[in-house]
Amino acid sequence: MGFGLQPLYHLSEKTCLGVRYEYFKDSDGARSGTTQALQNISIAPAYYLTKSLVSRVEFRADMSDEDVFTDSDGKASGQQLQVAAEMIYSF
């Protein structure tokens, strides 16, 4: 069982802000390999360089009620943080 919300706010003609929240409960571990509840939150500001080209950075936090992630020391953790950058071309 799960759900997600993903609104996109247009701040101006060239900038927008995407926000996402997702929740997933893997009650029997069939999907993820572990019985757990997963959540993620992300914020993604974007800038339209042209009508077809968008630059975006995403800041994301993944969380679980089990230690399914590893930290930078290789230790098990219930959360992880990520940053990603991308260019999107629409045609």
Side-chain angles (χ1 to χ4, degrees), residues 47-62:
Y47 182 76
Y48 287 81
L49 300 166
T50 68
K51 286 186 177 185
S52 299
L53 186 62
V54 180
S55 173
R56 184 168 72 178
V57 176
E58 180 177 1
F59 303 94
R60 176 179 170 137
D62 296 307

Side-chain angles (χ1 to χ4, degrees), residues 4-77:
L5 300 170
Q6 191 167 352
L8 180 64
Y9 302 99
H10 290 272
L11 305 172
S12 73
E13 187 176 307
K14 292 198 169 244
T15 59
C16 64
L17 181 65
V19 180
R20 181 175 62 229
Y21 173 78
E22 295 174 319
Y23 174 84
F24 178 68
K25 184 163 180 74
D26 194 355
S27 298
D28 56 7
R31 305 268 176 146
S32 64
T34 301
T35 300
Q36 63 181 318
L38 292 157
Q39 299 179 73
N40 79 59
I41 298 170
S42 68
I43 298 172
Y47 182 76
Y48 287 81
L49 300 166
T50 68
K51 286 186 177 185
S52 299
L53 186 62
V54 180
S55 173
R56 184 168 72 178
V57 176
E58 180 177 1
F59 303 94
R60 176 179 170 137
D62 296 307
M63 298 150 289
S64 173
D65 59 355
E66 298 292 332
D67 289 340
V68 295
F69 306 109
T70 54
D71 64 16
S72 59
D73 295 326
K75 295 179 184 175
S77 175

